[in-house]
Amino acid sequence: MHGLTRLIAAALMGAFASTSAAQGAETTDDFEMIRPATETSLEDWLWIKRPVVVFADSPADPRYVEQINLITERLDALEERDVVVITDTDPGARSSVRQKLRPRGFMLAILAKDGSIVARKPGPWSVREISRSIDKLPLRQQEARDR
C-alpha cells in the first residue's frame, strides 16, 4: 500500500473511532468500516454488508479525496445501512475487487447484499445520494420495516 493511502486510511480510522466513541458504539476493533481492497473481497460481504467501493488510480486523485471526505463526514448514516466501504487506489495491485468491477480511473460503485451492482458513478456522491440509492432496495426496505 502506498504511504499516502496508509496515511489516509489511518486518518479515516481515527475519525471513525472518535465518531463511534462519541456515539457510545462498538470500537473499530469489532468492525472496520473502511477497508482496502487488497485485504478483502466482495464475496466476504455477501448477505452481510452492502459494499460501497471507491476506486481511483492514485490516492491523490481529487475525486477520491473528495469522496472519502464525504463518506467520513457521515459514517453513521452508512453504518445504519449495513455498509462496508472498500477503497482501491492501486491499479497495479490488481485486487479481486478491481478485477470484478473493472473501473477506469475514478469510480464509485454501490452493491447490494446479494452482490448485484446497484450503481456505478464516475464522480463523487454525497452520503445522502448513496443512502437514497440503498434505501430504494427491497431488502433495505424490509430491514427498515423490521426495525
Side-chain angles (χ1 to χ4, degrees), residues 45-47 49-51 110-118 137:
W45 304 107
L46 279 176
W47 301 110
K49 296 283 183 182
R50 293 179 177 90
I110 303 168
L111 284 75
K113 283 186 175 181
D114 67 1
S116 62
I117 298 169
V118 174
L137 300 172

Side-chain angles (χ1 to χ4, degrees), residues 13-33:
M13 293 315 300
F16 178 63
S18 62
T19 300
S20 294
Q23 296 171 343
E26 294 179 36
T27 67
T28 56
D29 293 340
D30 296 324
F31 173 66
E32 292 181 22
M33 196 165 171

Side-chain angles (χ1 to χ4, degrees), residues 67-135:
Q67 185 63 72
I68 294 301
N69 285 337
L70 290 168
I71 286 171
T72 56
E73 288 172 0
R74 298 280 322 278
L75 280 174
D76 57 330
L78 295 177
E79 185 176 30
E80 209 175 282
R81 289 166 177 81
D82 292 334
V83 166
V84 61
V85 178
I86 301 172
T87 62
D88 187 329
T89 59
D90 185 5
R94 298 185 44 80
S95 71
S96 66
V97 177
R98 185 174 286 270
Q99 290 179 39
K100 180 164 181 151
L101 297 177
R102 305 172 59 93
R104 292 191 180 118
F106 178 88
M107 183 176 85
L108 171 70
I110 303 168
L111 284 75
K113 283 186 175 181
D114 67 1
S116 62
I117 298 169
V118 174
R120 291 177 185 254
K121 297 295 169 186
W125 254 25
S126 71
V127 169
R128 184 175 180 183
E129 292 168 311
I130 294 169
S131 296
R132 282 184 180 170
S133 184
I134 291 170
D135 289 346

